Amino acid sequence: MFDLDLTYLLSIASAILGLVLFLRIFPKDNSGRKLPPVPVRTWPLFGNILSVPENPRQQFKQWHTQHGNLFSLYLGSTLIVVVNGYKAIKEILVTKGASFLDRPGMYPNQVIGMEHTGVGFSCGQYWQETRSATHSILKDLGVGKNILHEKIQDDIEFLLDRLVQLNGQATDISHHVHVSISGIICSIITGERFSYDDERFKYNIHYTNQLASCAKEVAALNFLPILKYLPGDVLKTKRIREAVEGMKRFAEFCCNVVNAGTERESFISCFKRKQKEKLANGRAAILDEENLKKTVMDLIAAGTESTSATIAWCILYLLHHPDVQGKIHEELDREIGFTRKPSMGDKLKLPYLEAVIKETQRLASVAPFSMMRVTREDVFVGNFFIPKGTSVIPNLDSVLHSEEIWGPDVDQFRPTRFLNPDGSVRHPEEFIPFSIGRRNCLGMGLAQMELFLFLASLFQKFEFVLPEGVDLPTLKENLGLLAVPTHYKVCCVDRFAEKI
Ligand code: HEM
């Protein structure tokens, strides 16, 4: 009996040991170096993909608490390391940033044969040169300076007029803002202002939305490319191809508009000038036509929904917090009044509005998992080894929603957390919605201008209220490429009409 029990216990123990090994808790590479732990069972072929929910925010939070700042997941056979918490994210993106500068391949870029071009997904020297050229052109065009704000104000005027014409009727504000923000980036790129009814412009918005709606399928195809051969197009490969080809056609059209001889300064004309300068100095291989086309696509894709979703979140939060909307109105009425347009020069006078914008970005966390990186070489982070070629997710959400950093009311909308006792704005270094390091958001300056000018102008002009008899819209997000609010309708009540 005793022998039987012992055998029984031993076999249970070895089964558990086998299971632990199978679960690959603290897996090691071939030389025995310790990789970050895998929190769940790893299945052949699928890896851990079946344990990652559609919206992994909560699951990642739990694994971060249980397993520490770094954990591994196998999506298919691809090793992915998720990095959590400010200290670890700063280590990979800043201190050891040089090892984490590249990006893994993405299925939609492969589909159009543009995997290694442009600014958002390229690697190495190619990325470095394209990023530096793109950054200096955007700076010359006025991003981060006051000269661009007049262009943005023109688009805002147009938006305000459209909203006034609705006469307080309930509307999907996200859509109006999205079109307006898209118009701004297109006009920076081409120097031309597109009519919102222009068919090509409308199609580009349509295709960008179409690609965003396939985010989950894109993620699956990135890691299990074999799935594209599944019968019946389960993973929407046709929709993805159609969307990305449509976006490419629009970028080609933009480049042709500028070729056709527009006089205005634009991103494209400046890029072409740089290209000529490089050619004159005997080097142009990197800043060529393909690169320009893909960089235009990257700027339009990255520069539209991120900003418009943030504005839509802000208005939604204020429907839930009318007292905060009241305080913004008070500040705007006191500092700017009703007769002149808000400008960037007003930013310092409107600390409460700035705190509201920061709190919106923190709580909405529209790019919760940033954009993936891939390691250029073998590297150690803390005690863990990350091999060359590993995909890495900087989990910005783990910083923006950290109770340790923001306090026990981390999940509440409380703009005053960004104000000092004297009313000035606080700038905590852990506020990182645009990521950090050498490959952080290239459009941060433009996005900050747009967020300030749009929200200051919208709140100066309107009070946002719920349509009569309608319940407060949900704060539940739709997580695709970005976290966007669920569609809601709002009435834009003209505050000027009341005063005059
Ligand atoms: C509220 C608005 C925005 C947010 C929250 C945001 C956030 C981000 C984040 C988290 C990244 C990844 C950075 C990294 O890998 O470390 C990124 C990359 C990027 N963003 Fe933004 N972004 C916004 C607006 C914009 C705008 C308006 C533009 C257009 C000019 C833009 C252009 C880009 C580009 C081109 C990249 C890729 C940079 C590279 O790979 O070198 N973004 N953004």
Side-chain angles (χ1 to χ4, degrees), residues 9-53:
L9 284 176
L10 278 175
S11 52
I12 296 247
S14 53
I16 291 175
L17 191 65
L19 189 66
V20 168
L21 290 177
F22 188 62
L23 289 174
R24 295 165 92 162
I25 301 271
F26 295 112
K28 294 189 164 62
D29 80 328
N30 294 341
S31 342
R33 289 168 292 195
K34 199 166 72 170
L35 304 176
V38 180
V40 278
R41 181 171 183 163
T42 304
W43 293 93
L45 190 65
F46 293 102
N48 310 111
I49 214 162
L50 303 171
S51 307
V52 181

Side-chain angles (χ1 to χ4, degrees), residues 93 103 119-121 127 131 138 185 298-299 302-304 306-307 310 361 366-367 370-371 373 396 433-436 439-444 446-447 450-451:
L93 296 184
R103 302 230 191 259
V119 71
F121 300 93
W127 165 74
R131 166 111 183 180
L138 289 177
I185 189 75
D298 289 348
L299 289 177
T304 308
S306 45
T307 314
T310 306
Q361 288 201 269
V366 295
S370 190
M371 283 170 74
R373 303 292 186 94
L396 302 184
F434 296 103
S435 182
I436 43 174
R439 198 164 189 174
N440 73 341
C441 174
L442 180 58
M444 180 168 82
L446 175 61
E450 288 176 332
L451 289 176

Side-chain angles (χ1 to χ4, degrees), residues 141-331:
L141 291 172
V143 173
K145 297 187 206 150
N146 287 348
I147 45 172
L148 187 71
H149 82 230
E150 281 170 26
K151 204 178 210 146
I152 298 178
Q153 271 173 334
D154 280 355
D155 270 275
I156 293 177
E157 268 311 291
F158 211 75
L159 170 68
L160 298 183
D161 283 350
R162 281 174 84 115
L163 295 179
V164 166
Q165 279 162 27
L166 293 173
N167 224 353
Q169 212 182 304
T171 190
D172 174 2
I173 186 83
S174 314
H175 171 72
H176 295 284
V177 172
H178 190 94
V179 172
S180 194
I181 296 277
S182 178
I184 291 172
I185 189 75
C186 290
S187 102
I188 292 174
I189 284 169
T190 60
E192 298 290 320
R193 198 176 179 291
F194 282 89
S195 150
Y196 295 164
D197 298 321
D198 184 301
E199 285 300 314
R200 291 187 189 87
F201 176 72
K202 284 204 291 197
Y203 263 104
N204 184 55
I205 293 183
H206 166 81
Y207 285 132
T208 314
N209 291 340
Q210 182 166 322
L211 184 61
S213 73
C214 301
K216 283 163 201 125
E217 290 77 10
V218 166
L221 288 160
N222 280 339
F223 299 109
L224 286 168
I226 196 166
L227 295 180
K228 71 178 170 222
Y229 300 112
L230 279 179
D233 200 22
V234 189
L235 287 173
K236 301 185 182 166
T237 52
K238 284 195 190 117
R239 267 180 79 77
I240 295 169
R241 176 181 288 277
E242 183 187 54
V244 78
E245 280 175 349
M247 290 161 72
K248 184 177 170 188
R249 274 199 304 279
F250 185 70
E252 278 162 356
F253 168 75
C254 291
C255 294
N256 291 339
V257 166
V258 178
N259 273 342
T262 165
E263 292 298 305
R264 303 226 191 108
E265 272 298 76
S266 67
F267 179 80
I268 293 176
S269 62
C270 294
F271 194 101
K272 285 177 184 255
R273 201 173 312 131
K274 272 200 190 293
Q275 196 179 338
K276 273 196 194 134
E277 282 164 17
K278 298 250 172 190
L279 265 178
N281 295 328
R283 33 190 302 262
I286 290 180
L287 299 186
D288 62 8
E289 293 297 313
E290 277 296 282
N291 193 357
L292 171 60
K293 223 184 288 168
K294 183 63 170 54
T295 299
V296 165
M297 285 174 76
D298 289 348
L299 289 177
I300 296 176
T304 308
E305 195 169 33
S306 45
T307 314
S308 62
T310 306
I311 293 171
W313 274 115
C314 185
I315 294 171
L316 178 58
Y317 287 141
L318 297 198
L319 288 177
H320 283 253
H321 298 272
D323 54 320
V324 175
Q325 183 168 191
K327 284 187 192 149
I328 296 176
H329 284 150
E330 261 170 47
E331 188 180 64

